[in-house]
Amino acid sequence: MIEATNFIEQIINEDIDAGKVTAIQTRFPPEPNGYLHIGHAKSMFVNFGIAQKYGGKCNLFFDDTNPSKEKTEFVDAIRGDIRWMGYEWAKECYASDFFDVIYDCAARLIKEGKAFVCDLSAEEIKNLRGTLTEPGKESPYRSRSAEENLRLFTEMREGKYADGEKCLRAKIDMSSPNLNMRDPVIYRILHATHHRTGDAWCVYPMYDFAHPICDYLQGVTHSLCTLEFEDHRPLYDWVGVSLGFSPKPRQIEFARLNVTNTVMSKRYLKKLVEENLVHGWDDARMPTITGLRNRGIPAEAIRDFCSRVGVAKANSECEYSYFEACVREYLNANAERAMAVFSPLKLTITNYEGSEEVDFEINQTKEGAGVRKVKFSKNLYIESSDFSLDPPPKYFRLKKDGYVRLKNAYIVRCDDVLLDENGNAKEVLCTYIPESRSGSDTSGIKVKGVIHWVDAETAADVTVKQYQSLLRDADYAGQDFNERFNAESEKIFTAKAEPYLAEAKEGTPFQLMRTGYYKKSEENGAAVLSEIVSLKDNFNKK
């Protein structure tokens, strides 16, 4: 018996004990109508993870039953995202692989009096459906003979009717307390070119009809989907029973991943792309898997986040800061350390000549990471915020006549400051204490402030990109995404950095001392540092 850690595994264990299944088969079923987002990462985690835990298989199944919205571009992106996340599928399948079989299943239901062709419009069907407290009304076309229905369905496939002119509906129960069981539409006419089958079809099955059939044809034992499909499960079961599936796949629903202040609507993400409000699906501000990858967020951290959130039956919302905490924890353990100055202020050591190399820890939390050499000279850059002309009480950074330690180097004393025409500091003049070198300090001087720096003679000019959420915090409950869009969610500026950062491999993550975690990349041959996550962890405070 495999130990169950959630309710899905408990159900699977019960099915195994009862002899209902022996080998576990799941599927990850995205629709190729956009790029995957962080919410899909949880579905991947559940479907691929369950199969792996039970020594079973998980298929990649593309639900491509709506050709007007689907593209090969999205198929390719989904494949890449899954592999980047660390998963591999047993078999790649498409609903379109089974279009002939699904059509034959519909024809079989017609012959058995379980489906009929309806001439009502979508609006008319909706108006006759009834409410949660009132039964629906039967279509006037419900009593058509099997022969007439079969002829009309054949003519629908042959393209004799316009979109919406007719549809095929299951004949179930218009008084069912579940609205999904009130003679649902299972086929509609859609004259659109399919990304795989071209113009071979002009009728397409509805998801609720194709879903159970495709699961059965793939040999799926447990069809794991999010909670919004719970009310659709009776229809899923009805299709399987009506078509005599044995063994019939079992649908189990789990809570989807909801993250605060994060766009989880593929429709809205598509709108952001199409209206050029972002740079594309892979924009580092986007919650798409490819956007997260482009930002520098590790796949390991996403999987860890999904694992910590867990698998539940009730919907809930997770703080985005918790996701950031998972990312930060992984990067803290794995990212190299380096220095960059975002708002440079020149620091000149007047009593220092020549240059030397100081030791810099690559990652103090990682055993055996070692050290690297960083050049130090009399001309440096420090952060302008690390010097104050009028320091507040308990200010431990650099000030006139004050001491501070330059990270991994020496203690310096500020002797004078040169001002620009606006009265702001443009250069601080310091003397260093030769006996105060880090690791061999014999100066006896105690300082509380330690600041980072870069060597002015060798510093590289880099472009820095910092990000905020695409959505501003909601001011009131009725505020929609358009009103909350943050037009200032991306900030771009130039900075000074160690040459080590500019020379680093594309995609390398760094912890910039006292600043945050950044990814090195290149654009048009120039070095770029893109913010992954801030250095400060706000999750526990929240």
Side-chain angles (χ1 to χ4, degrees), residues 189-215:
I189 300 171
L190 184 59
H191 292 272
T193 300
H194 192 277
H195 70 103
R196 294 185 76 232
T197 61
D199 297 319
W201 294 86
C202 61
V203 289
Y204 292 93
M206 302 299 288
Y207 173 78
D208 280 344
F209 185 59
H211 177 198
I213 297 172
C214 292
D215 280 352

Short mmCIF file of all heavy atoms in Angstrom, two decimals, residues 189-215:
data_model
loop_
_atom_site.label_atom_id
_atom_site.label_comp_id
_atom_site.label_asym_id
_atom_site.label_seq_id
_atom_site.Cartn_x
_atom_site.Cartn_y
_atom_site.Cartn_z
N ILE A 189 -21.92 23.22 -34.91
CA ILE A 189 -21.37 23.51 -36.24
C ILE A 189 -20.38 24.66 -36.11
O ILE A 189 -20.68 25.67 -35.48
CB ILE A 189 -22.50 23.89 -37.23
CG1 ILE A 189 -23.50 22.77 -37.36
CG2 ILE A 189 -21.90 24.25 -38.59
CD1 ILE A 189 -24.75 23.17 -38.14
N LEU A 190 -19.21 24.49 -36.69
CA LEU A 190 -18.19 25.54 -36.63
C LEU A 190 -17.33 25.46 -37.88
O LEU A 190 -16.50 24.56 -38.03
CB LEU A 190 -17.32 25.37 -35.38
CG LEU A 190 -16.26 26.45 -35.13
CD1 LEU A 190 -16.89 27.83 -35.02
CD2 LEU A 190 -15.46 26.14 -33.88
N HIS A 191 -17.56 26.37 -38.79
CA HIS A 191 -16.79 26.42 -40.04
C HIS A 191 -15.49 27.20 -39.77
O HIS A 191 -15.43 28.41 -39.93
CB HIS A 191 -17.59 27.07 -41.16
CG HIS A 191 -18.78 26.26 -41.60
ND1 HIS A 191 -18.69 25.29 -42.59
CD2 HIS A 191 -20.05 26.25 -41.16
CE1 HIS A 191 -19.87 24.74 -42.75
NE2 HIS A 191 -20.74 25.31 -41.91
N ALA A 192 -14.49 26.48 -39.30
CA ALA A 192 -13.20 27.10 -38.99
C ALA A 192 -12.09 26.09 -39.30
O ALA A 192 -12.28 24.89 -39.14
CB ALA A 192 -13.14 27.51 -37.52
N THR A 193 -10.96 26.59 -39.75
CA THR A 193 -9.84 25.72 -40.10
C THR A 193 -9.13 25.26 -38.83
O THR A 193 -8.73 26.08 -38.00
CB THR A 193 -8.85 26.45 -41.01
OG1 THR A 193 -9.52 26.85 -42.21
CG2 THR A 193 -7.68 25.55 -41.38
N HIS A 194 -9.00 23.97 -38.69
CA HIS A 194 -8.36 23.37 -37.52
C HIS A 194 -6.85 23.32 -37.72
O HIS A 194 -6.36 23.08 -38.83
CB HIS A 194 -8.92 21.95 -37.31
CG HIS A 194 -8.56 21.34 -35.99
ND1 HIS A 194 -7.35 20.71 -35.77
CD2 HIS A 194 -9.25 21.26 -34.83
CE1 HIS A 194 -7.32 20.27 -34.53
NE2 HIS A 194 -8.46 20.59 -33.93
N HIS A 195 -6.08 23.52 -36.64
CA HIS A 195 -4.63 23.58 -36.77
C HIS A 195 -4.00 22.24 -37.15
O HIS A 195 -2.85 22.19 -37.59
CB HIS A 195 -4.01 24.09 -35.46
CG HIS A 195 -4.09 23.11 -34.32
ND1 HIS A 195 -3.02 22.37 -33.89
CD2 HIS A 195 -5.13 22.77 -33.52
CE1 HIS A 195 -3.39 21.61 -32.87
NE2 HIS A 195 -4.65 21.84 -32.62
N ARG A 196 -4.77 21.13 -37.02
CA ARG A 196 -4.25 19.81 -37.41
C ARG A 196 -5.04 19.18 -38.54
O ARG A 196 -4.47 18.56 -39.44
CB ARG A 196 -4.24 18.86 -36.20
CG ARG A 196 -3.28 19.26 -35.10
CD ARG A 196 -3.23 18.22 -34.00
NE ARG A 196 -2.47 17.03 -34.36
CZ ARG A 196 -2.91 15.79 -34.26
NH1 ARG A 196 -4.13 15.55 -33.82
NH2 ARG A 196 -2.13 14.77 -34.60
N THR A 197 -6.36 19.29 -38.49
CA THR A 197 -7.21 18.59 -39.48
C THR A 197 -7.65 19.50 -40.61
O THR A 197 -8.37 19.05 -41.52
CB THR A 197 -8.44 18.00 -38.78
OG1 THR A 197 -9.22 19.06 -38.19
CG2 THR A 197 -8.03 17.02 -37.69
N GLY A 198 -7.22 20.77 -40.58
CA GLY A 198 -7.57 21.68 -41.67
C GLY A 198 -9.07 21.89 -41.75
O GLY A 198 -9.73 22.22 -40.76
N ASP A 199 -9.62 21.69 -42.97
CA ASP A 199 -11.06 21.90 -43.19
C ASP A 199 -11.81 20.58 -43.34
O ASP A 199 -12.90 20.53 -43.91
CB ASP A 199 -11.27 22.75 -44.46
CG ASP A 199 -10.67 24.14 -44.30
OD1 ASP A 199 -10.82 24.72 -43.21
OD2 ASP A 199 -10.05 24.64 -45.27
N ALA A 200 -11.24 19.50 -42.79
CA ALA A 200 -11.88 18.19 -42.91
C ALA A 200 -13.19 18.13 -42.14
O ALA A 200 -14.08 17.34 -42.48
CB ALA A 200 -10.93 17.10 -42.41
N TRP A 201 -13.31 18.95 -41.11
CA TRP A 201 -14.51 18.93 -40.28
C TRP A 201 -15.13 20.32 -40.19
O TRP A 201 -14.42 21.32 -40.19
CB TRP A 201 -14.18 18.46 -38.86
CG TRP A 201 -13.73 17.03 -38.77
CD1 TRP A 201 -12.46 16.55 -38.93
CD2 TRP A 201 -14.55 15.90 -38.52
NE1 TRP A 201 -12.44 15.19 -38.79
CE2 TRP A 201 -13.72 14.75 -38.53
CE3 TRP A 201 -15.92 15.72 -38.28
CZ2 TRP A 201 -14.20 13.46 -38.33
CZ3 TRP A 201 -16.41 14.44 -38.07
CH2 TRP A 201 -15.55 13.32 -38.10
N CYS A 202 -16.46 20.35 -40.09
CA CYS A 202 -17.16 21.61 -39.79
C CYS A 202 -18.11 21.40 -38.61
O CYS A 202 -18.91 22.29 -38.29
CB CYS A 202 -17.90 22.14 -41.01
SG CYS A 202 -19.16 21.03 -41.65
N VAL A 203 -18.05 20.22 -38.00
CA VAL A 203 -18.76 19.98 -36.75
C VAL A 203 -17.72 19.51 -35.72
O VAL A 203 -16.82 18.74 -36.05
CB VAL A 203 -19.88 18.91 -36.89
CG1 VAL A 203 -21.04 19.45 -37.70
CG2 VAL A 203 -19.35 17.62 -37.47
N TYR A 204 -17.87 20.01 -34.51
CA TYR A 204 -16.89 19.69 -33.47
C TYR A 204 -17.61 19.33 -32.17
O TYR A 204 -18.63 19.94 -31.81
CB TYR A 204 -15.96 20.88 -33.23
CG TYR A 204 -15.06 21.15 -34.41
CD1 TYR A 204 -15.43 22.06 -35.40
CD2 TYR A 204 -13.84 20.48 -34.55
CE1 TYR A 204 -14.60 22.29 -36.50
CE2 TYR A 204 -13.01 20.71 -35.63
CZ TYR A 204 -13.39 21.62 -36.60
OH TYR A 204 -12.58 21.84 -37.70
N PRO A 205 -17.08 18.32 -31.47
CA PRO A 205 -17.71 17.92 -30.21
C PRO A 205 -17.47 18.94 -29.12
O PRO A 205 -16.43 19.60 -29.09
CB PRO A 205 -17.01 16.60 -29.88
CG PRO A 205 -15.66 16.73 -30.52
CD PRO A 205 -15.88 17.51 -31.78
N MET A 206 -18.42 19.08 -28.21
CA MET A 206 -18.22 19.91 -27.03
C MET A 206 -17.27 19.18 -26.08
O MET A 206 -17.18 17.95 -26.07
CB MET A 206 -19.56 20.18 -26.33
CG MET A 206 -20.58 20.86 -27.24
SD MET A 206 -20.06 22.49 -27.84
CE MET A 206 -20.20 23.45 -26.33
N TYR A 207 -16.57 19.95 -25.26
CA TYR A 207 -15.58 19.36 -24.35
C TYR A 207 -16.20 18.29 -23.46
O TYR A 207 -15.62 17.22 -23.26
CB TYR A 207 -14.95 20.46 -23.49
CG TYR A 207 -14.03 19.91 -22.42
CD1 TYR A 207 -12.74 19.49 -22.74
CD2 TYR A 207 -14.46 19.78 -21.10
CE1 TYR A 207 -11.90 18.97 -21.77
CE2 TYR A 207 -13.62 19.26 -20.12
CZ TYR A 207 -12.35 18.86 -20.46
OH TYR A 207 -11.52 18.33 -19.51
N ASP A 208 -17.39 18.57 -22.91
CA ASP A 208 -18.01 17.62 -21.98
C ASP A 208 -18.32 16.28 -22.64
O ASP A 208 -18.43 15.27 -21.94
CB ASP A 208 -19.30 18.21 -21.40
CG ASP A 208 -19.03 19.19 -20.27
OD1 ASP A 208 -17.90 19.18 -19.74
OD2 ASP A 208 -19.94 19.97 -19.93
N PHE A 209 -18.48 16.26 -23.95
CA PHE A 209 -18.74 15.01 -24.66
C PHE A 209 -17.43 14.33 -25.06
O PHE A 209 -17.26 13.12 -24.90
CB PHE A 209 -19.60 15.27 -25.89
CG PHE A 209 -20.02 14.02 -26.62
CD1 PHE A 209 -20.76 13.03 -25.99
CD2 PHE A 209 -19.67 13.82 -27.95
CE1 PHE A 209 -21.16 11.88 -26.65
CE2 PHE A 209 -20.06 12.67 -28.63
CZ PHE A 209 -20.80 11.70 -27.97
N ALA A 210 -16.49 15.12 -25.56
CA ALA A 210 -15.22 14.55 -26.02
C ALA A 210 -14.36 14.06 -24.85
O ALA A 210 -13.67 13.04 -24.96
CB ALA A 210 -14.44 15.61 -26.81
N HIS A 211 -14.45 14.75 -23.72
CA HIS A 211 -13.61 14.46 -22.56
C HIS A 211 -13.68 13.00 -22.10
O HIS A 211 -12.66 12.31 -22.05
CB HIS A 211 -14.00 15.44 -21.44
CG HIS A 211 -13.30 15.25 -20.15
ND1 HIS A 211 -13.76 15.78 -18.97
CD2 HIS A 211 -12.17 14.58 -19.81
CE1 HIS A 211 -12.95 15.45 -17.98
NE2 HIS A 211 -11.98 14.72 -18.46
N PRO A 212 -14.86 12.48 -21.76
CA PRO A 212 -14.92 11.08 -21.30
C PRO A 212 -14.55 10.07 -22.37
O PRO A 212 -13.96 9.03 -22.07
CB PRO A 212 -16.37 10.91 -20.84
CG PRO A 212 -17.13 11.98 -21.55
CD PRO A 212 -16.19 13.12 -21.71
N ILE A 213 -14.87 10.37 -23.62
CA ILE A 213 -14.54 9.44 -24.71
C ILE A 213 -13.04 9.36 -24.91
O ILE A 213 -12.45 8.27 -25.01
CB ILE A 213 -15.25 9.88 -26.02
CG1 ILE A 213 -16.77 9.82 -25.85
CG2 ILE A 213 -14.81 8.99 -27.19
CD1 ILE A 213 -17.54 10.41 -27.02
N CYS A 214 -12.38 10.53 -24.95
CA CYS A 214 -10.93 10.55 -25.14
C CYS A 214 -10.21 9.92 -23.95
O CYS A 214 -9.19 9.24 -24.13
CB CYS A 214 -10.46 11.99 -25.35
SG CYS A 214 -11.02 12.73 -26.90
N ASP A 215 -10.72 10.14 -22.74
CA ASP A 215 -10.12 9.50 -21.57
C ASP A 215 -10.19 7.98 -21.72
O ASP A 215 -9.19 7.27 -21.47
CB ASP A 215 -10.86 9.92 -20.29
CG ASP A 215 -10.42 11.29 -19.78
OD1 ASP A 215 -9.44 11.83 -20.33
OD2 ASP A 215 -11.05 11.80 -18.85
#
